[in-house]
Amino acid sequence: MTPDQNRLLTLVEGDAPMGQLMRCHWIPCALSSALVADGAPQPVRLLGQDFVAFRATDGRVGLFDEACPHRRASLLLARNENCALTCIFHAWKIHVSGKVIEIPSEGDRSAATAGHMKVNHYPTFEGGGLLWVYLGQGEPPPRPPLPFLDLPAEQIFITRSIAPCNWLQGVEGTIDSVHVGTMHQSWVPALSADRASISHTLNSHPRYEVEDTDYGIRAAALRSVGEGQLYVRTTEYVMPFSSLVAGSGSVRNGSMFISVPVDDVSHMLFFGIWDEDNPVPRLIDAICAEPRDLNDFGLISGTKANLWRQDRAAMSAGHFTGFDKCLIDEDMVVQASMGPIADRTDEQLVASDVGVARTRRRLLAALQALDRGEPSAVTARTVRPTDAILAPNADWRELGGAELALA
């Protein structure tokens, strides 16, 4: 990878091409549970821009630029009541629909003056326990082709973490399934009890195959299970943020990892599980050794100077990484250790990195298409990952993905 390619793939702020590509998509920006009717407005930072999100009295969600359109005071300080934010500086009232409705200092001219004011507000929808926003121009695209957007709360477990590194490091971590059996090995016993296929998945070395799709890529891990049969698990990468990993013996459950750029050097990770047919198990018991705030889930304490407080005593006692409080912490620390923006020009990739390499190639192709004025390609079908045993001579490409949208 060249330095120019690395910059194209990683930088998102201002007029950066990748940031412009992301504005063509719905972007998850907050847990729905963090927004309380008439509660405190919540900060949202995406692509280097600051916004404010709030739930109005009637349950609707508004998302505006954080700065008040008058004198640029922060609307995080605003009163949230009567389906509007009221700036505490001069009491400009902005309705949840994005219209200024009161300017008290203008007296009798309040309504007329307010009607001429412009507020940058953005379309949103709620799905899968998340608030999604569209920051682009014109009409929003269809919703992402994800299988959990319309599930009830008991069939989704979702968390939010802030990682101090570039978004692509997060995405590549979710595509790189090889690391699960090494870095996360100390969590495997608990996960094996929770998800039946996990131990089988981690106990052998697979062959990896990848194919491009209209929504991103499909990365398959293939393992021989005797008599010519293959055990296949796929990761479905839905550009530009989302990765879906197969659950256990079904295309209707799995894990989701969504890595959203806060700015060039930090990202939000939305991690969780879903099940389209049943309530989800208490995954938190399997991946955390302590209580965690679901809105601030993965935690990094310390810095490189103290190795992010890695516990060498825990390592000596048998924990593989020495980060024994939560599985997600392991991912976040390793990604942060690569630097704020990883330098990929000196990497030495091997065959098992094919998914990572193809993801980069797919994103570069999407940027080239954007430069030609072509719209971002999406699928109208629901994408689902695969977990299955194939008969001899069967082709994994004929299973799962977007083909089982009606399953």
Side-chain angles (χ1 to χ4, degrees), residues 31 33 157-162 187 269 271 282-301 308-309 322-333:
L31 298 185
S33 59
F157 170 81
I158 187 73
T159 68
R160 170 185 173 272
S161 305
I162 300 294
W187 301 95
L269 169 64
F271 159 72
R282 279 187 55 82
L283 179 66
I284 193 169
D285 294 338
I287 65 171
C288 268
E290 62 183 15
R292 287 285 174 94
D293 181 350
L294 299 186
N295 197 43
D296 190 18
F297 192 65
L299 300 176
I300 294 182
S301 61
W308 296 276
R309 302 191 188 282
F323 295 100
D324 61 346
K325 298 299 186 290
C326 186
L327 181 151
I328 294 298
D329 297 353
E330 294 178 328
D331 291 296
M332 293 177 61
V333 168

Side-chain angles (χ1 to χ4, degrees), residues 11 68 78 83 107 134 165 169 183 185 197 255 265 286 309 389 393:
L11 301 185
C68 177
C83 290
Y134 177 64
C165 61
Q169 283 149 248
M183 185 167 74
Q185 62 184 265
S197 65
S255 303
V265 296
R309 302 191 188 282
I389 294 179
N393 302 317

Side-chain angles (χ1 to χ4, degrees), residues 341-380:
I341 302 178
D343 180 0
R344 295 168 175 80
T345 60
D346 286 332
E347 286 180 333
Q348 300 181 60
L349 302 185
V350 294
S352 58
D353 295 312
V354 61
V356 171
R358 288 284 286 274
T359 298
R360 296 171 185 176
R361 185 186 307 173
R362 190 72 177 83
L363 285 168
L364 288 169
L367 290 175
Q368 292 170 350
L370 180 70
D371 191 52
R372 294 192 298 267
E374 299 173 8
S376 292
V378 296
T379 181

Side-chain angles (χ1 to χ4, degrees), residues 12 18-29 46-47 130 132-135 144 146 148 167-168 170-175 215-216 236-244 256-262 267-270 359 363:
V12 297
M18 184 58 74
Q20 298 308 307
L21 176 68
M22 291 177 174
R23 292 173 186 274
C24 299
H25 296 263
W26 286 102
I27 305 175
C29 62
L46 297 169
L47 310 179
L130 299 172
W132 301 72
V133 62
Y134 177 64
L135 300 179
L146 304 174
F148 49 82
W167 75 283
L168 190 59
V171 165
E172 291 178 349
T174 68
I175 301 295
Y215 52 84
E236 304 286 340
Y237 171 53
V238 180
M239 292 195 304
F241 317 108
S242 305
S243 295
L244 309 179
M256 83 275 283
F257 301 84
I258 310 177
S259 301
V260 179
V262 172
H267 70 272
M268 279 186 288
L269 169 64
F270 295 105
T359 298
L363 285 168

